[in-house]
Amino acid sequence: MIKCAKCRQIDFVQKSGIVRGKQRYFCKACDYHFTLPEAVENRKNKPRHQVTIIDIANELGISKSTVSRALRGHTDIHEGTRKMILDLAQQLEYQPNPLANALLKSRTNIVGILVPEFRHYFFPTVIMGAQEILSKAGYNVMICQSDESYDTEVANVKALMNSRVDGLLVSVTTQTNNVDHFRTVLRKEVPLVFFNRVCPELDTPQVIVDDYAGAFQAVEHLVQQGYRRIAHLAGPVSLLVSRLRMKGYLDALQKHGLPVDNELIIHYDLTEEKARIYANYLLSLPQPPDAIFAINDPTAIEIMLVAKSRGVKIPQELGIVGFSNDPISAIIEPPLTTVEQPVWEMGRQAARILLEQMENPRIETYQLPTRLVVRGSSVNC
Amino acid sequence: MIKCAKCRQIDFVQKSGIVRGKQRYFCKACDYHFTLPEAVENRKNKPRHQVTIIDIANELGISKSTVSRALRGHTDIHEGTRKMILDLAQQLEYQPNPLANALLKSRTNIVGILVPEFRHYFFPTVIMGAQEILSKAGYNVMICQSDESYDTEVANVKALMNSRVDGLLVSVTTQTNNVDHFRTVLRKEVPLVFFNRVCPELDTPQVIVDDYAGAFQAVEHLVQQGYRRIAHLAGPVSLLVSRLRMKGYLDALQKHGLPVDNELIIHYDLTEEKARIYANYLLSLPQPPDAIFAINDPTAIEIMLVAKSRGVKIPQELGIVGFSNDPISAIIEPPLTTVEQPVWEMGRQAARILLEQMENPRIETYQLPTRLVVRGSSVNC
DNA sequence: ACCAGTTTCGGGAAAGTTCCCGATAGTTTT
DNA sequence: AAAACTATCGGGAACTTTCCCGAAACTGGT
């Protein structure tokens, strides 16, 4: 028979249903429900137990508060006690559990970085710059890439927010027109800094280079080299960089009295295939351009390859200027004239502003300088 | 006068020291120490309170257990109750706090990736491959780069472990000879998978390509093209890839009866500057090589640049073969012959093995195929 | 009305910290 | 020697979630 778990009697015990597959009993004497306890086997299989502050406290016969104080370098503790704790902690290879801390303080010490891609030179380098600053400030970095897809971007922002990052460094995709997902970030008061591909409609810091001046210089250079029919393979209108570089292009043409031919202006989505298609299109026009200003270096290089394959001589028949000064630009034949921008520094700057943003929020746009680097692809001599 | 906080009398209260800047009192009547409570002002300044499971429970007048069950899709819950909870959760934009979960389960759902650099094509691409698999499996990724510094690598491993990552994907630096920091990882039973630059002395999975066969093919190809004095600008001996590719190089020479000239074999640390220095050195030997097999594409390209600057004609006077088939290899002039390796797939494979490792650990070395891509830099016709 | 059985819910521990605040022992002042 | 004070320590709440298990509220069948 079954003995009551409380009064140890057996006479008043009766069955009382099954709960989670186990028979349950009821003792009428002491009005008590119970089930038979499991065998002791399959409990207590905690595999790896990280050494905690409590282990140290127990070992030393003191309280966890005291251990915490010693470890945190707090005052209010005896020098001898502290040393004792510190020694044992070292011996036990104690590692504080950042999860507990994060849960308590709602701070993860993780910064999320979201970029559209990192196949090319630009974004990896920005990331390295940002990482340099952030890791120095004690932050880890979680990197996501949206792959130029708006949906992926939204999903990534969600995932990053869900991971409770302490801040966000973002460069948007070419598809990003709706920015509600970033408004959510701002609403939850998570510091957010845009770089390169920014969102001027949002009240949060932005780090860009002087795209206008860079583009203006580049196109003016082409004019001065004698090119007259200058095309612009531009980025999507959705991106501010595209618009600014476009404006530089247009103003440079205007300044030198050159007509604007809309046939020579193409916005595209920055994919390799499209770059090739449009380069071919431009070069097969009845009146093809004699120079092309490309939104960035990868685009410029695609154009160069297309031109080469068509037997178009660079720079004699076609001048080309890029933007960003990727290392490959100096290597390719002929070397590419391009607008240099401080890529690494952009990452550092964005990170610095993010850190500052955590202290005292301030909305500002930071602009870094550009510089024209003249190489063989545009020197028509 | 001061009223005792316990017996409400004022006659027996006397001062009793200052604690943390606040006056403390002692009531002799009830033998009770106390301080005056603060004004209600400066407490309760919790700024942003994420909506929790308890908020939902309170709102609905039920227990947090029930809410948890509803959200977790558990059984043991009334369909109506579940719907009610799910609706409110959605309305309140409830986001479960992964930190609490992580603390409870000791699982962060974060995988750490540690690479020596990501300036070039290789590592970013591997990372993208890994990320594709990992994010599909619900993992976030934390990326660190050791910058080819052993000390940074050790620090990064420590930081990653400290962040309680659930697994680690690693490619070591050129300096890594001591692997104790990885032994620590293994000892704590954190899944660890090496790729590309592996640690065969550790009992954990490794993902590599068939470096030996690739190198062998590459050198044999050079021989077949008529090159006879083939140099090898190799990686550091510490790396297994270096040794394997070296072996392929040596065996190919031997197979075709070519002598091994130690003067033509150089191990270096994979930095740009050294690549230039050694390329110059090789080309200024009394008997310079007529071909060079480079450990990887960036190295091959540095050699090409040096050769060009010295007026050495490629491929007529110098054949060059690289390894990895970086996209730049197809672009440069002349295009570079190279050994293609499935870079993206390597990342995917490493990630898959890491995930598998979390379920049932198994130690194995996985080898991916290579394929020679012949281009202009080595075709001596 | 009584009992066996089922469905649904609540209480509370656990995870590892930090931090507030009360408590104790010892030390100096009056 | 009492009063006022300092130095040091412990207790326990809080952070959020999951999960175990006990309990209440039902449903049918006698």
Side-chain angles (χ1 to χ4, degrees):
Chain A
M1 279 286 101
I2 306 299
K3 214 192 294 184
C4 169
K6 207 168 197 172
C7 60
R8 321 304 295 167
Q9 290 179 290
I10 62 171
D11 305 327
F12 305 95
V13 173
Q14 60 187 184
K15 288 201 203 165
S16 164
I18 294 173
V19 59
R20 274 172 292 269
K22 282 173 60 183
Q23 181 61 56
R24 192 145 148 276
Y25 300 94
F26 177 65
C27 174
K28 284 170 72 178
C30 48
D31 188 41
Y32 183 65
H33 286 271
F34 63 93
T35 57
L36 264 12
E38 295 237 0
V40 204
E41 322 295 296
N42 43 4
R43 52 221 311 191
K44 205 78 178 183
N45 59 340
K46 327 206 120 194
R48 45 183 160 144
H49 171 72
Q50 287 278 4
V51 34
T52 83
I53 215 175
I54 299 182
D55 295 331
I56 298 180
N58 289 342
E59 184 82 16
L60 259 32
I62 57 180
S63 85
K64 61 184 177 12
S65 314
T66 307
V67 179
S68 173
R69 263 197 302 271
L71 261 12
R72 300 283 324 186
H74 210 279
T75 147
D76 264 33
I77 190 167
H78 188 76
E79 200 43 58
T81 314
R82 157 176 296 152
K83 192 159 171 8
M84 191 172 66
I85 294 171
L86 257 37
D87 285 350
L88 185 61
Q90 183 146 35
Q91 181 195 324
L92 261 44
E93 293 183 40
Y94 167 75
Q95 291 279 76
N97 187 332
L99 295 167
N101 199 13
L103 176 58
L104 194 61
K105 308 273 207 54
S106 312
R107 291 198 41 178
T108 52
N109 272 28
I110 297 176
V111 165
I113 301 185
L114 180 51
V115 295
E117 48 100 1
F118 48 73
R119 267 198 311 273
H120 299 106
Y121 164 78
F122 183 77
F123 288 111
T125 309
V126 176
I127 291 172
M128 287 172 74
Q131 227 166 13
E132 179 194 331
I133 300 295
L134 291 173
S135 63
K136 220 174 280 178
Y139 284 89
N140 278 97
V141 166
M142 200 172 271
I143 300 169
C144 290
Q145 49 149 351
S146 46
D147 216 9
E148 299 287 14
S149 148
Y150 170 75
D151 292 336
T152 309
E153 180 177 284
V154 173
N156 278 335
V157 168
K158 209 165 187 176
L160 254 10
M161 287 299 289
N162 197 29
S163 288
R164 299 290 199 275
V165 293
D166 290 341
L168 230 34
L169 247 34
V170 177
S171 210
V172 301
T173 75
T174 51
Q175 299 182 355
T176 306
N177 289 308
N178 183 329
V179 294
D180 284 347
H181 48 308
F182 295 123
R183 291 220 166 81
T184 309
V185 174
L186 257 23
R187 184 147 35 84
K188 299 201 174 175
E189 295 181 52
V190 173
L192 172 62
V193 175
F194 287 98
F195 63 92
N196 183 254
R197 304 206 196 158
V198 300
C199 274
E201 65 264 49
L202 291 176
D203 291 336
T204 196
Q206 325 262 338
V207 181
I208 54 177
V209 299
D210 194 347
D211 292 294
Y212 173 79
F216 187 93
Q217 271 190 291
V219 176
E220 185 163 54
H221 159 75
L222 284 171
V223 176
Q224 286 164 349
Q225 289 297 317
Y227 298 104
R228 283 295 168 268
R229 228 176 123 60
I230 304 171
H232 181 25
L233 192 38
V237 195
S238 58
L239 298 180
L240 181 65
V241 271
S242 304
R243 299 198 298 270
L244 288 174
R245 292 178 194 177
M246 174 65 72
K247 189 161 189 311
Y249 161 79
L250 293 173
D251 284 6
L253 289 188
Q254 195 189 10
K255 175 181 173 188
H256 293 279
L258 290 178
V260 173
D261 187 345
N262 280 321
E263 201 179 35
L264 299 182
I265 297 177
I266 297 178
H267 289 278
Y268 90 113
D269 63 0
L270 305 183
T271 61
E272 273 184 27
E273 315 85 66
K274 291 289 177 56
R276 269 197 291 275
I277 290 172
Y278 289 125
N280 266 307
Y281 165 77
L282 283 171
L283 294 180
S284 50
L285 282 175
Q287 293 193 0
D290 59 1
I292 303 180
F293 168 50
I295 176 82
N296 58 24
D297 278 8
T299 304
I301 284 166
E302 286 301 324
I303 297 173
M304 279 181 72
L305 295 178
V306 169
K308 277 191 199 177
S309 74
R310 297 173 64 103
V312 176
K313 288 201 165 51
I314 303 168
Q316 293 82 359
E317 296 168 24
L318 185 70
I320 300 181
V321 178
F323 205 114
S324 185
N325 196 20
D326 294 6
I328 191 177
S329 308
I331 291 174
I332 200 167
E333 201 62 46
L336 178 67
T337 295
T338 185
V339 179
E340 183 185 73
Q341 53 180 346
V343 183
W344 185 286
E345 180 57 28
M346 177 178 276
R348 293 162 44 99
Q349 183 71 4
R352 276 193 291 255
I353 291 166
L354 186 71
L355 293 176
E356 196 188 308
Q357 191 77 354
M358 294 172 177
E359 303 300 309
N360 60 328
R362 189 159 29 128
I363 300 150
E364 218 164 311
T365 298
Y366 299 83
Q367 201 177 56
L368 270 38
T370 56
R371 188 176 65 87
L372 185 67
V373 179
V374 177
R375 297 205 186 92
S377 72
S378 67
V379 180
N380 196 356
C381 49
Chain B
M1 278 286 102
I2 306 300
K3 215 192 294 186
C4 170
K6 206 168 198 172
C7 60
R8 320 305 296 167
Q9 291 180 289
I10 63 171
D11 306 326
F12 304 94
V13 174
Q14 62 187 186
K15 290 198 201 166
S16 164
I18 294 174
V19 59
R20 274 173 293 269
K22 280 174 59 182
Q23 182 62 54
R24 200 150 74 101
Y25 300 94
F26 177 66
C27 174
K28 284 169 72 178
C30 48
D31 188 41
Y32 183 64
H33 285 273
F34 63 92
T35 58
L36 266 10
E38 295 238 0
V40 202
E41 323 295 298
N42 44 0
R43 53 217 318 189
K44 206 77 177 186
N45 59 338
K46 326 206 123 192
R48 43 182 164 146
H49 170 71
Q50 289 276 7
V51 35
T52 84
I53 215 174
I54 299 183
D55 296 331
I56 298 180
N58 289 342
E59 184 82 17
L60 259 32
I62 56 179
S63 85
K64 62 184 177 8
S65 313
T66 306
V67 178
S68 173
R69 262 196 303 272
L71 261 12
R72 298 284 322 183
H74 211 280
T75 148
D76 264 35
I77 190 167
H78 188 77
E79 200 42 57
T81 314
R82 156 176 296 151
K83 189 153 173 10
M84 190 172 68
I85 293 171
L86 258 36
D87 285 350
L88 184 61
Q90 184 146 35
Q91 182 194 324
L92 261 45
E93 292 182 40
Y94 168 76
Q95 291 279 75
N97 187 333
L99 295 167
N101 199 11
L103 176 59
L104 196 61
K105 307 273 207 54
S106 315
R107 292 197 42 177
T108 52
N109 271 28
I110 296 176
V111 165
I113 301 184
L114 179 52
V115 295
E117 48 100 2
F118 47 74
R119 267 199 309 276
H120 299 104
Y121 163 79
F122 183 78
F123 289 111
T125 309
V126 176
I127 291 173
M128 287 171 72
Q131 228 166 12
E132 179 194 331
I133 300 296
L134 292 172
S135 63
K136 219 174 279 178
Y139 284 89
N140 279 98
V141 166
M142 199 173 274
I143 300 168
C144 289
Q145 50 149 349
S146 46
D147 215 9
E148 298 287 14
S149 149
Y150 171 74
D151 291 335
T152 308
E153 179 177 285
V154 174
N156 279 336
V157 169
K158 210 166 186 175
L160 253 12
M161 286 299 289
N162 198 30
S163 289
R164 298 291 198 276
V165 292
D166 289 342
L168 229 35
L169 248 32
V170 177
S171 210
V172 302
T173 76
T174 51
Q175 299 182 355
T176 306
N177 290 307
N178 183 329
V179 294
D180 285 347
H181 48 308
F182 294 122
R183 293 221 165 80
T184 309
V185 173
L186 258 23
R187 184 148 33 83
K188 299 201 175 176
E189 295 181 53
V190 173
L192 172 62
V193 174
F194 288 97
F195 63 93
N196 183 255
R197 304 207 198 157
V198 301
C199 274
E201 65 264 50
L202 291 176
D203 291 336
T204 196
Q206 325 262 338
V207 181
I208 55 178
V209 299
D210 194 345
D211 292 294
Y212 173 80
F216 188 93
Q217 272 190 289
V219 175
E220 186 164 54
H221 160 74
L222 284 171
V223 175
Q224 287 164 347
Q225 290 296 317
Y227 298 104
R228 283 296 169 266
R229 228 175 122 61
I230 303 171
H232 182 24
L233 192 39
V237 194
S238 58
L239 297 180
L240 181 66
V241 270
S242 305
R243 299 199 298 271
L244 288 174
R245 293 178 193 178
M246 173 65 73
K247 190 159 187 312
Y249 161 80
L250 293 173
D251 284 6
L253 289 187
Q254 196 190 10
K255 174 181 174 190
H256 294 277
L258 291 177
V260 173
D261 187 343
N262 280 323
E263 202 180 35
L264 298 183
I265 297 176
I266 297 177
H267 289 278
Y268 90 113
D269 62 0
L270 305 183
T271 61
E272 276 185 25
E273 314 85 66
K274 290 288 177 57
R276 269 195 292 275
I277 290 172
Y278 289 125
N280 265 306
Y281 166 78
L282 283 172
L283 294 181
S284 50
L285 282 176
Q287 292 194 358
D290 60 2
I292 303 180
F293 168 50
I295 176 81
N296 58 25
D297 280 7
T299 303
I301 283 165
E302 286 302 322
I303 296 172
M304 280 181 71
L305 295 177
V306 169
K308 277 192 200 178
S309 73
R310 297 173 65 103
V312 176
K313 288 201 167 49
I314 303 168
Q316 294 82 0
E317 298 169 22
L318 185 70
I320 300 181
V321 177
F323 205 113
S324 185
N325 196 18
D326 293 6
I328 190 175
S329 308
I331 291 174
I332 199 165
E333 202 61 47
L336 178 67
T337 295
T338 185
V339 179
E340 183 185 73
Q341 53 180 344
V343 184
W344 184 287
E345 180 57 28
M346 176 178 276
R348 293 163 44 100
Q349 183 70 4
R352 275 192 290 255
I353 292 166
L354 186 71
L355 292 176
E356 195 187 309
Q357 191 76 355
M358 294 173 177
E359 304 301 310
N360 61 327
R362 188 160 33 129
I363 299 149
E364 219 164 309
T365 298
Y366 299 82
Q367 203 177 54
L368 271 37
T370 57
R371 187 176 66 88
L372 185 67
V373 179
V374 178
R375 297 203 187 95
S377 72
S378 67
V379 180
N380 197 356
C381 50

